[in-house]
PDB file of all heavy atoms in Angstrom:
ATOM      1  N   GLU G 120       8.414  20.315 -13.454  1.00  0.00           N
ATOM      2  CA  GLU G 120       8.429  21.661 -14.128  1.00  0.00           C
ATOM      3  C   GLU G 120       8.840  22.780 -13.210  1.00  0.00           C
ATOM      4  O   GLU G 120       9.633  23.620 -13.478  1.00  0.00           O
ATOM      5  CB  GLU G 120       7.111  21.924 -14.854  1.00  0.00           C
ATOM      6  CG  GLU G 120       6.910  21.139 -16.120  1.00  0.00           C
ATOM      7  CD  GLU G 120       8.064  21.241 -17.120  1.00  0.00           C
ATOM      8  OE1 GLU G 120       8.555  22.315 -17.383  1.00  0.00           O
ATOM      9  OE2 GLU G 120       8.489  20.188 -17.541  1.00  0.00           O
ATOM     10  N   LYS G 121       8.200  22.776 -11.968  1.00  0.00           N
ATOM     11  CA  LYS G 121       8.487  23.837 -11.023  1.00  0.00           C
ATOM     12  C   LYS G 121      10.037  23.659 -10.565  1.00  0.00           C
ATOM     13  O   LYS G 121      10.716  24.663 -10.444  1.00  0.00           O
ATOM     14  CB  LYS G 121       7.523  23.690  -9.773  1.00  0.00           C
ATOM     15  CG  LYS G 121       6.207  24.075 -10.055  1.00  0.00           C
ATOM     16  CD  LYS G 121       6.101  25.560 -10.378  1.00  0.00           C
ATOM     17  CE  LYS G 121       4.652  25.923 -10.640  1.00  0.00           C
ATOM     18  NZ  LYS G 121       4.532  27.170 -11.161  1.00  0.00           N
ATOM     19  N   TRP G 122      10.406  22.445 -10.385  1.00  0.00           N
ATOM     20  CA  TRP G 122      11.811  22.165  -9.915  1.00  0.00           C
ATOM     21  C   TRP G 122      12.813  22.643 -10.984  1.00  0.00           C
ATOM     22  O   TRP G 122      13.787  23.222 -10.733  1.00  0.00           O
ATOM     23  CB  TRP G 122      11.928  20.719  -9.680  1.00  0.00           C
ATOM     24  CG  TRP G 122      13.013  20.339  -8.656  1.00  0.00           C
ATOM     25  CD1 TRP G 122      13.788  21.155  -7.958  1.00  0.00           C
ATOM     26  CD2 TRP G 122      13.460  19.051  -8.416  1.00  0.00           C
ATOM     27  NE1 TRP G 122      14.618  20.419  -7.152  1.00  0.00           N
ATOM     28  CE2 TRP G 122      14.573  19.096  -7.439  1.00  0.00           C
ATOM     29  CE3 TRP G 122      13.129  17.709  -8.876  1.00  0.00           C
ATOM     30  CZ2 TRP G 122      15.204  18.003  -6.905  1.00  0.00           C
ATOM     31  CZ3 TRP G 122      13.808  16.621  -8.357  1.00  0.00           C
ATOM     32  CH2 TRP G 122      14.782  16.784  -7.361  1.00  0.00           C
ATOM     33  N   LEU G 123      12.484  22.286 -12.175  1.00  0.00           N
ATOM     34  CA  LEU G 123      13.291  22.691 -13.329  1.00  0.00           C
ATOM     35  C   LEU G 123      13.413  24.189 -13.424  1.00  0.00           C
ATOM     36  O   LEU G 123      14.487  24.803 -13.578  1.00  0.00           O
ATOM     37  CB  LEU G 123      12.902  22.071 -14.588  1.00  0.00           C
ATOM     38  CG  LEU G 123      13.698  22.449 -15.874  1.00  0.00           C
ATOM     39  CD1 LEU G 123      15.067  21.847 -15.728  1.00  0.00           C
ATOM     40  CD2 LEU G 123      13.055  21.840 -17.107  1.00  0.00           C
ATOM     41  N   ASP G 124      12.302  24.888 -13.343  1.00  0.00           N
ATOM     42  CA  ASP G 124      12.273  26.350 -13.256  1.00  0.00           C
ATOM     43  C   ASP G 124      13.184  26.959 -12.274  1.00  0.00           C
ATOM     44  O   ASP G 124      13.905  27.894 -12.404  1.00  0.00           O
ATOM     45  CB  ASP G 124      10.888  26.899 -13.211  1.00  0.00           C
ATOM     46  CG  ASP G 124      10.086  26.751 -14.476  1.00  0.00           C
ATOM     47  OD1 ASP G 124      10.672  26.575 -15.579  1.00  0.00           O
ATOM     48  OD2 ASP G 124       8.836  26.900 -14.390  1.00  0.00           O
ATOM     49  N   ARG G 125      13.132  26.330 -11.015  1.00  0.00           N
ATOM     50  CA  ARG G 125      13.960  26.851  -9.904  1.00  0.00           C
ATOM     51  C   ARG G 125      15.444  26.663 -10.183  1.00  0.00           C
ATOM     52  O   ARG G 125      16.233  27.517  -9.895  1.00  0.00           O
ATOM     53  CB  ARG G 125      13.525  26.064  -8.675  1.00  0.00           C
ATOM     54  CG  ARG G 125      12.190  26.331  -8.096  1.00  0.00           C
ATOM     55  CD  ARG G 125      11.968  27.668  -7.340  1.00  0.00           C
ATOM     56  NE  ARG G 125      12.797  27.761  -6.198  1.00  0.00           N
ATOM     57  CZ  ARG G 125      12.361  27.436  -4.985  1.00  0.00           C
ATOM     58  NH1 ARG G 125      11.202  27.008  -4.783  1.00  0.00           N
ATOM     59  NH2 ARG G 125      13.131  27.630  -3.916  1.00  0.00           N
ATOM     60  N   ARG G 126      15.745  25.538 -10.779  1.00  0.00           N
ATOM     61  CA  ARG G 126      17.148  25.186 -11.144  1.00  0.00           C
ATOM     62  C   ARG G 126      17.604  26.217 -12.136  1.00  0.00           C
ATOM     63  O   ARG G 126      18.801  26.722 -12.100  1.00  0.00           O
ATOM     64  CB  ARG G 126      17.388  23.794 -11.711  1.00  0.00           C
ATOM     65  CG  ARG G 126      17.350  22.667 -10.654  1.00  0.00           C
ATOM     66  CD  ARG G 126      18.619  22.573  -9.850  1.00  0.00           C
ATOM     67  NE  ARG G 126      18.632  23.561  -8.695  1.00  0.00           N
ATOM     68  CZ  ARG G 126      19.756  23.926  -7.982  1.00  0.00           C
ATOM     69  NH1 ARG G 126      20.903  23.436  -8.276  1.00  0.00           N
ATOM     70  NH2 ARG G 126      19.694  24.730  -7.029  1.00  0.00           N
ATOM     71  N   LEU G 127      16.849  26.410 -13.229  1.00  0.00           N
ATOM     72  CA  LEU G 127      17.268  27.258 -14.312  1.00  0.00           C
ATOM     73  C   LEU G 127      17.332  28.689 -13.963  1.00  0.00           C
ATOM     74  O   LEU G 127      18.158  29.467 -14.569  1.00  0.00           O
ATOM     75  CB  LEU G 127      16.369  27.002 -15.517  1.00  0.00           C
ATOM     76  CG  LEU G 127      16.388  25.650 -16.126  1.00  0.00           C
ATOM     77  CD1 LEU G 127      15.449  25.566 -17.288  1.00  0.00           C
ATOM     78  CD2 LEU G 127      17.732  25.142 -16.467  1.00  0.00           C
ATOM     79  N   ALA G 128      16.652  29.059 -12.875  1.00  0.00           N
ATOM     80  CA  ALA G 128      16.713  30.476 -12.404  1.00  0.00           C
ATOM     81  C   ALA G 128      18.003  30.851 -11.796  1.00  0.00           C
ATOM     82  O   ALA G 128      18.259  32.085 -11.668  1.00  0.00           O
ATOM     83  CB  ALA G 128      15.548  30.671 -11.426  1.00  0.00           C
ATOM     84  N   LEU G 129      18.791  29.975 -11.516  1.00  0.00           N
ATOM     85  CA  LEU G 129      20.195  30.247 -10.948  1.00  0.00           C
ATOM     86  C   LEU G 129      21.133  30.850 -11.977  1.00  0.00           C
ATOM     87  O   LEU G 129      22.089  31.478 -11.640  1.00  0.00           O
ATOM     88  CB  LEU G 129      20.878  28.914 -10.382  1.00  0.00           C
ATOM     89  CG  LEU G 129      20.120  28.308  -9.216  1.00  0.00           C
ATOM     90  CD1 LEU G 129      20.834  27.010  -8.827  1.00  0.00           C
ATOM     91  CD2 LEU G 129      20.195  29.235  -8.021  1.00  0.00           C
ATOM     92  N   PHE G 130      20.872  30.560 -13.314  1.00  0.00           N
ATOM     93  CA  PHE G 130      21.692  31.110 -14.241  1.00  0.00           C
ATOM     94  C   PHE G 130      21.529  32.530 -14.653  1.00  0.00           C
ATOM     95  O   PHE G 130      20.477  33.088 -14.319  1.00  0.00           O
ATOM     96  CB  PHE G 130      21.698  30.211 -15.553  1.00  0.00           C
ATOM     97  CG  PHE G 130      21.981  28.744 -15.351  1.00  0.00           C
ATOM     98  CD1 PHE G 130      21.067  27.834 -14.968  1.00  0.00           C
ATOM     99  CD2 PHE G 130      23.311  28.334 -15.419  1.00  0.00           C
ATOM    100  CE1 PHE G 130      21.368  26.483 -14.772  1.00  0.00           C
ATOM    101  CE2 PHE G 130      23.687  27.004 -15.249  1.00  0.00           C
ATOM    102  CZ  PHE G 130      22.661  26.157 -14.902  1.00  0.00           C
ATOM    103  N   SER G 131      22.574  33.118 -15.163  1.00  0.00           N
ATOM    104  CA  SER G 131      22.437  34.649 -15.558  1.00  0.00           C
ATOM    105  C   SER G 131      21.323  34.796 -16.473  1.00  0.00           C
ATOM    106  O   SER G 131      20.844  33.804 -17.177  1.00  0.00           O
ATOM    107  CB  SER G 131      23.740  35.069 -16.152  1.00  0.00           C
ATOM    108  OG  SER G 131      23.932  34.392 -17.370  1.00  0.00           O
ATOM    109  N   ASN G 132      20.769  36.001 -16.591  1.00  0.00           N
ATOM    110  CA  ASN G 132      19.778  36.335 -17.538  1.00  0.00           C
ATOM    111  C   ASN G 132      19.972  36.012 -18.908  1.00  0.00           C
ATOM    112  O   ASN G 132      19.213  35.462 -19.712  1.00  0.00           O
ATOM    113  CB  ASN G 132      19.315  37.789 -17.379  1.00  0.00           C
ATOM    114  CG  ASN G 132      18.656  38.060 -16.186  1.00  0.00           C
ATOM    115  OD1 ASN G 132      18.116  37.187 -15.405  1.00  0.00           O
ATOM    116  ND2 ASN G 132      18.757  39.277 -15.747  1.00  0.00           N
ATOM    117  N   GLN G 133      21.215  36.147 -19.353  1.00  0.00           N
ATOM    118  CA  GLN G 133      21.699  35.851 -20.689  1.00  0.00           C
ATOM    119  C   GLN G 133      21.622  34.420 -20.921  1.00  0.00           C
ATOM    120  O   GLN G 133      21.124  33.962 -22.015  1.00  0.00           O
ATOM    121  CB  GLN G 133      23.139  36.428 -20.977  1.00  0.00           C
ATOM    122  CG  GLN G 133      23.629  36.201 -22.323  1.00  0.00           C
ATOM    123  CD  GLN G 133      25.030  36.753 -22.551  1.00  0.00           C
ATOM    124  OE1 GLN G 133      25.691  37.147 -21.524  1.00  0.00           O
ATOM    125  NE2 GLN G 133      25.505  36.740 -23.764  1.00  0.00           N
ATOM    126  N   LYS G 134      22.131  33.558 -20.027  1.00  0.00           N
ATOM    127  CA  LYS G 134      22.050  32.155 -20.156  1.00  0.00           C
ATOM    128  C   LYS G 134      20.681  31.583 -20.149  1.00  0.00           C
ATOM    129  O   LYS G 134      20.282  30.694 -20.769  1.00  0.00           O
ATOM    130  CB  LYS G 134      22.981  31.479 -19.100  1.00  0.00           C
ATOM    131  CG  LYS G 134      24.407  31.369 -19.420  1.00  0.00           C
ATOM    132  CD  LYS G 134      25.103  30.499 -18.357  1.00  0.00           C
ATOM    133  CE  LYS G 134      26.550  30.326 -18.667  1.00  0.00           C
ATOM    134  NZ  LYS G 134      27.230  29.562 -17.664  1.00  0.00           N
ATOM    135  N   GLN G 135      19.875  32.207 -19.234  1.00  0.00           N
ATOM    136  CA  GLN G 135      18.463  31.737 -19.085  1.00  0.00           C
ATOM    137  C   GLN G 135      17.661  31.873 -20.303  1.00  0.00           C
ATOM    138  O   GLN G 135      16.868  30.980 -20.623  1.00  0.00           O
ATOM    139  CB  GLN G 135      17.824  32.647 -17.955  1.00  0.00           C
ATOM    140  CG  GLN G 135      17.970  32.097 -16.572  1.00  0.00           C
ATOM    141  CD  GLN G 135      17.139  32.796 -15.604  1.00  0.00           C
ATOM    142  OE1 GLN G 135      15.982  33.135 -15.895  1.00  0.00           O
ATOM    143  NE2 GLN G 135      17.585  33.161 -14.439  1.00  0.00           N
ATOM    144  N   SER G 136      17.859  33.038 -21.049  1.00  0.00           N
ATOM    145  CA  SER G 136      17.069  33.175 -22.327  1.00  0.00           C
ATOM    146  C   SER G 136      17.396  32.016 -23.252  1.00  0.00           C
ATOM    147  O   SER G 136      16.486  31.488 -23.937  1.00  0.00           O
ATOM    148  CB  SER G 136      17.359  34.496 -22.881  1.00  0.00           C
ATOM    149  OG  SER G 136      18.690  34.591 -23.295  1.00  0.00           O
ATOM    150  N   LEU G 137      18.552  31.565 -23.286  1.00  0.00           N
ATOM    151  CA  LEU G 137      18.998  30.521 -24.177  1.00  0.00           C
ATOM    152  C   LEU G 137      18.494  29.094 -23.641  1.00  0.00           C
ATOM    153  O   LEU G 137      17.874  28.331 -24.343  1.00  0.00           O
ATOM    154  CB  LEU G 137      20.486  30.440 -24.441  1.00  0.00           C
ATOM    155  CG  LEU G 137      21.022  29.239 -25.149  1.00  0.00           C
ATOM    156  CD1 LEU G 137      20.484  29.270 -26.658  1.00  0.00           C
ATOM    157  CD2 LEU G 137      22.386  29.121 -25.106  1.00  0.00           C
ATOM    158  N   ILE G 138      18.730  28.959 -22.343  1.00  0.00           N
ATOM    159  CA  ILE G 138      18.430  27.687 -21.689  1.00  0.00           C
ATOM    160  C   ILE G 138      16.868  27.435 -21.686  1.00  0.00           C
ATOM    161  O   ILE G 138      16.414  26.317 -21.913  1.00  0.00           O
ATOM    162  CB  ILE G 138      18.877  27.649 -20.259  1.00  0.00           C
ATOM    163  CG1 ILE G 138      20.426  27.646 -20.298  1.00  0.00           C
ATOM    164  CG2 ILE G 138      18.340  26.484 -19.484  1.00  0.00           C
ATOM    165  CD1 ILE G 138      20.989  27.764 -18.866  1.00  0.00           C
ATOM    166  N   ARG G 139      16.079  28.477 -21.536  1.00  0.00           N
ATOM    167  CA  ARG G 139      14.589  28.282 -21.430  1.00  0.00           C
ATOM    168  C   ARG G 139      13.942  28.182 -22.771  1.00  0.00           C
ATOM    169  O   ARG G 139      12.933  27.592 -22.854  1.00  0.00           O
ATOM    170  CB  ARG G 139      13.901  29.406 -20.633  1.00  0.00           C
ATOM    171  CG  ARG G 139      14.291  29.410 -19.161  1.00  0.00           C
ATOM    172  CD  ARG G 139      13.640  30.477 -18.468  1.00  0.00           C
ATOM    173  NE  ARG G 139      13.990  30.652 -17.072  1.00  0.00           N
ATOM    174  CZ  ARG G 139      13.513  29.910 -16.068  1.00  0.00           C
ATOM    175  NH1 ARG G 139      12.560  29.020 -16.292  1.00  0.00           N
ATOM    176  NH2 ARG G 139      13.968  30.103 -14.812  1.00  0.00           N
ATOM    177  N   THR G 140      14.585  28.670 -23.819  1.00  0.00           N
ATOM    178  CA  THR G 140      13.947  28.714 -25.181  1.00  0.00           C
ATOM    179  C   THR G 140      14.438  27.509 -26.025  1.00  0.00           C
ATOM    180  O   THR G 140      13.679  26.974 -26.774  1.00  0.00           O
ATOM    181  CB  THR G 140      14.083  29.960 -25.829  1.00  0.00           C
ATOM    182  OG1 THR G 140      15.506  30.261 -25.960  1.00  0.00           O
ATOM    183  CG2 THR G 140      13.482  31.204 -25.125  1.00  0.00           C
ATOM    184  N   GLN G 141      15.632  27.182 -25.959  1.00  0.00           N
ATOM    185  CA  GLN G 141      16.253  26.099 -26.756  1.00  0.00           C
ATOM    186  C   GLN G 141      15.998  24.770 -26.097  1.00  0.00           C
ATOM    187  O   GLN G 141      16.526  24.456 -25.082  1.00  0.00           O
ATOM    188  CB  GLN G 141      17.742  26.350 -26.963  1.00  0.00           C
ATOM    189  CG  GLN G 141      18.376  25.522 -27.987  1.00  0.00           C
ATOM    190  CD  GLN G 141      17.719  25.570 -29.317  1.00  0.00           C
ATOM    191  OE1 GLN G 141      17.058  24.668 -29.707  1.00  0.00           O
ATOM    192  NE2 GLN G 141      17.982  26.567 -30.093  1.00  0.00           N
ATOM    193  N   MET G 142      15.234  23.898 -26.811  1.00  0.00           N
ATOM    194  CA  MET G 142      14.909  22.578 -26.257  1.00  0.00           C
ATOM    195  C   MET G 142      15.762  21.471 -26.855  1.00  0.00           C
ATOM    196  O   MET G 142      15.729  20.366 -26.297  1.00  0.00           O
ATOM    197  CB  MET G 142      13.493  22.252 -26.517  1.00  0.00           C
ATOM    198  CG  MET G 142      12.517  23.198 -25.869  1.00  0.00           C
ATOM    199  SD  MET G 142      12.667  23.282 -24.116  1.00  0.00           S
ATOM    200  CE  MET G 142      11.569  24.559 -23.681  1.00  0.00           C
ATOM    201  N   ASN G 143      16.614  21.773 -27.855  1.00  0.00           N
ATOM    202  CA  ASN G 143      17.417  20.683 -28.467  1.00  0.00           C
ATOM    203  C   ASN G 143      18.572  20.330 -27.580  1.00  0.00           C
ATOM    204  O   ASN G 143      19.311  21.209 -27.090  1.00  0.00           O
ATOM    205  CB  ASN G 143      18.021  21.284 -29.772  1.00  0.00           C
ATOM    206  CG  ASN G 143      18.793  20.211 -30.547  1.00  0.00           C
ATOM    207  OD1 ASN G 143      19.587  19.553 -29.939  1.00  0.00           O
ATOM    208  ND2 ASN G 143      18.501  20.080 -31.830  1.00  0.00           N
ATOM    209  N   GLN G 144      18.749  19.067 -27.320  1.00  0.00           N
ATOM    210  CA  GLN G 144      19.725  18.665 -26.263  1.00  0.00           C
ATOM    211  C   GLN G 144      21.171  18.917 -26.785  1.00  0.00           C
ATOM    212  O   GLN G 144      22.054  19.098 -25.950  1.00  0.00           O
ATOM    213  CB  GLN G 144      19.575  17.147 -26.056  1.00  0.00           C
ATOM    214  CG  GLN G 144      20.116  16.189 -27.203  1.00  0.00           C
ATOM    215  CD  GLN G 144      19.939  14.755 -26.733  1.00  0.00           C
ATOM    216  OE1 GLN G 144      18.965  14.343 -26.224  1.00  0.00           O
ATOM    217  NE2 GLN G 144      20.956  13.998 -27.042  1.00  0.00           N
ATOM    218  N   PHE G 145      21.437  19.040 -28.100  1.00  0.00           N
ATOM    219  CA  PHE G 145      22.739  19.331 -28.496  1.00  0.00           C
ATOM    220  C   PHE G 145      23.098  20.859 -28.497  1.00  0.00           C
ATOM    221  O   PHE G 145      24.143  21.223 -28.330  1.00  0.00           O
ATOM    222  CB  PHE G 145      22.935  18.764 -29.928  1.00  0.00           C
ATOM    223  CG  PHE G 145      22.786  17.275 -29.999  1.00  0.00           C
ATOM    224  CD1 PHE G 145      21.664  16.736 -30.581  1.00  0.00           C
ATOM    225  CD2 PHE G 145      23.718  16.508 -29.330  1.00  0.00           C
ATOM    226  CE1 PHE G 145      21.511  15.360 -30.546  1.00  0.00           C
ATOM    227  CE2 PHE G 145      23.559  15.130 -29.383  1.00  0.00           C
ATOM    228  CZ  PHE G 145      22.425  14.555 -29.989  1.00  0.00           C
ATOM    229  N   GLN G 146      22.003  21.632 -28.668  1.00  0.00           N
ATOM    230  CA  GLN G 146      22.284  23.063 -28.625  1.00  0.00           C
ATOM    231  C   GLN G 146      22.089  23.546 -27.254  1.00  0.00           C
ATOM    232  O   GLN G 146      22.428  24.768 -26.899  1.00  0.00           O
ATOM    233  CB  GLN G 146      21.230  23.830 -29.574  1.00  0.00           C
ATOM    234  CG  GLN G 146      21.555  23.506 -30.976  1.00  0.00           C
ATOM    235  CD  GLN G 146      20.591  24.221 -31.964  1.00  0.00           C
ATOM    236  OE1 GLN G 146      19.444  24.500 -31.584  1.00  0.00           O
ATOM    237  NE2 GLN G 146      21.033  24.403 -33.168  1.00  0.00           N
ATOM    238  N   ASN G 147      21.460  22.848 -26.305  1.00  0.00           N
ATOM    239  CA  ASN G 147      21.215  23.233 -24.873  1.00  0.00           C
ATOM    240  C   ASN G 147      21.478  21.985 -24.007  1.00  0.00           C
ATOM    241  O   ASN G 147      20.513  21.547 -23.390  1.00  0.00           O
ATOM    242  CB  ASN G 147      19.827  23.706 -24.774  1.00  0.00           C
ATOM    243  CG  ASN G 147      19.563  24.370 -23.448  1.00  0.00           C
ATOM    244  OD1 ASN G 147      20.411  24.441 -22.582  1.00  0.00           O
ATOM    245  ND2 ASN G 147      18.383  24.938 -23.226  1.00  0.00           N
ATOM    246  N   PRO G 148      22.788  21.586 -23.894  1.00  0.00           N
ATOM    247  CA  PRO G 148      22.987  20.467 -23.026  1.00  0.00           C
ATOM    248  C   PRO G 148      22.795  20.669 -21.545  1.00  0.00           C
ATOM    249  O   PRO G 148      22.432  19.776 -20.805  1.00  0.00           O
ATOM    250  CB  PRO G 148      24.425  20.121 -23.263  1.00  0.00           C
ATOM    251  CG  PRO G 148      25.018  21.407 -23.829  1.00  0.00           C
ATOM    252  CD  PRO G 148      23.898  22.119 -24.511  1.00  0.00           C
ATOM    253  N   ILE G 149      22.901  21.973 -21.058  1.00  0.00           N
ATOM    254  CA  ILE G 149      22.703  22.218 -19.665  1.00  0.00           C
ATOM    255  C   ILE G 149      21.214  21.863 -19.330  1.00  0.00           C
ATOM    256  O   ILE G 149      20.942  21.105 -18.331  1.00  0.00           O
ATOM    257  CB  ILE G 149      23.026  23.723 -19.385  1.00  0.00           C
ATOM    258  CG1 ILE G 149      24.452  23.990 -19.516  1.00  0.00           C
ATOM    259  CG2 ILE G 149      22.471  24.063 -17.910  1.00  0.00           C
ATOM    260  CD1 ILE G 149      24.883  25.432 -19.341  1.00  0.00           C
ATOM    261  N   ARG G 150      20.209  22.415 -19.967  1.00  0.00           N
ATOM    262  CA  ARG G 150      18.884  22.144 -19.727  1.00  0.00           C
ATOM    263  C   ARG G 150      18.508  20.602 -19.823  1.00  0.00           C
ATOM    264  O   ARG G 150      17.832  20.044 -18.966  1.00  0.00           O
ATOM    265  CB  ARG G 150      17.947  22.908 -20.629  1.00  0.00           C
ATOM    266  CG  ARG G 150      16.501  22.726 -20.309  1.00  0.00           C
ATOM    267  CD  ARG G 150      15.596  23.429 -21.281  1.00  0.00           C
ATOM    268  NE  ARG G 150      14.266  23.637 -20.877  1.00  0.00           N
ATOM    269  CZ  ARG G 150      13.312  22.720 -20.747  1.00  0.00           C
ATOM    270  NH1 ARG G 150      13.636  21.403 -20.969  1.00  0.00           N
ATOM    271  NH2 ARG G 150      12.081  22.999 -20.282  1.00  0.00           N
ATOM    272  N   HIS G 151      19.117  20.053 -20.884  1.00  0.00           N
ATOM    273  CA  HIS G 151      18.818  18.621 -21.097  1.00  0.00           C
ATOM    274  C   HIS G 151      19.316  17.804 -19.968  1.00  0.00           C
ATOM    275  O   HIS G 151      18.645  16.869 -19.434  1.00  0.00           O
ATOM    276  CB  HIS G 151      19.520  18.139 -22.407  1.00  0.00           C
ATOM    277  CG  HIS G 151      19.369  16.725 -22.648  1.00  0.00           C
ATOM    278  ND1 HIS G 151      18.181  16.150 -23.136  1.00  0.00           N
ATOM    279  CD2 HIS G 151      20.354  15.654 -22.574  1.00  0.00           C
ATOM    280  CE1 HIS G 151      18.391  14.791 -23.316  1.00  0.00           C
ATOM    281  NE2 HIS G 151      19.583  14.497 -22.894  1.00  0.00           N
ATOM    282  N   GLU G 152      20.564  18.058 -19.482  1.00  0.00           N
ATOM    283  CA  GLU G 152      21.152  17.273 -18.431  1.00  0.00           C
ATOM    284  C   GLU G 152      20.390  17.481 -17.101  1.00  0.00           C
ATOM    285  O   GLU G 152      20.155  16.578 -16.321  1.00  0.00           O
ATOM    286  CB  GLU G 152      22.711  17.622 -18.265  1.00  0.00           C
ATOM    287  CG  GLU G 152      23.517  17.096 -19.340  1.00  0.00           C
ATOM    288  CD  GLU G 152      23.588  15.581 -19.416  1.00  0.00           C
ATOM    289  OE1 GLU G 152      23.907  14.964 -18.409  1.00  0.00           O
ATOM    290  OE2 GLU G 152      23.292  14.992 -20.396  1.00  0.00           O
ATOM    291  N   ILE G 153      20.091  18.701 -16.751  1.00  0.00           N
ATOM    292  CA  ILE G 153      19.360  19.073 -15.543  1.00  0.00           C
ATOM    293  C   ILE G 153      18.034  18.500 -15.558  1.00  0.00           C
ATOM    294  O   ILE G 153      17.533  17.798 -14.575  1.00  0.00           O
ATOM    295  CB  ILE G 153      19.373  20.559 -15.257  1.00  0.00           C
ATOM    296  CG1 ILE G 153      20.708  21.103 -14.997  1.00  0.00           C
ATOM    297  CG2 ILE G 153      18.411  20.881 -14.080  1.00  0.00           C
ATOM    298  CD1 ILE G 153      20.910  22.625 -14.892  1.00  0.00           C
ATOM    299  N   HIS G 154      17.295  18.594 -16.610  1.00  0.00           N
ATOM    300  CA  HIS G 154      15.950  18.013 -16.784  1.00  0.00           C
ATOM    301  C   HIS G 154      15.929  16.559 -16.557  1.00  0.00           C
ATOM    302  O   HIS G 154      15.123  15.976 -15.772  1.00  0.00           O
ATOM    303  CB  HIS G 154      15.281  18.402 -18.103  1.00  0.00           C
ATOM    304  CG  HIS G 154      13.907  17.905 -18.339  1.00  0.00           C
ATOM    305  ND1 HIS G 154      13.696  16.748 -18.868  1.00  0.00           N
ATOM    306  CD2 HIS G 154      12.706  18.455 -17.948  1.00  0.00           C
ATOM    307  CE1 HIS G 154      12.368  16.484 -18.756  1.00  0.00           C
ATOM    308  NE2 HIS G 154      11.716  17.529 -18.359  1.00  0.00           N
TER     309      HIS G 154
END
Side-chain angles (χ1 to χ4, degrees):
E120 286 307 311
K121 291 293 181 191
W122 203 11
L123 181 62
D124 284 345
R125 295 281 298 269
R126 282 285 84 194
L127 298 181
L129 292 176
F130 295 95
S131 68
N132 289 338
Q133 184 180 10
K134 277 187 180 178
Q135 274 188 40
S136 63
L137 173 69
I138 290 172
R139 290 184 187 276
T140 57
Q141 187 56 257
M142 300 299 179
N143 184 316
Q144 75 179 43
F145 299 108
Q146 292 178 337
N147 189 357
I149 292 173
R150 184 184 197 287
H151 176 75
E152 290 293 307
I153 292 174
H154 181 270

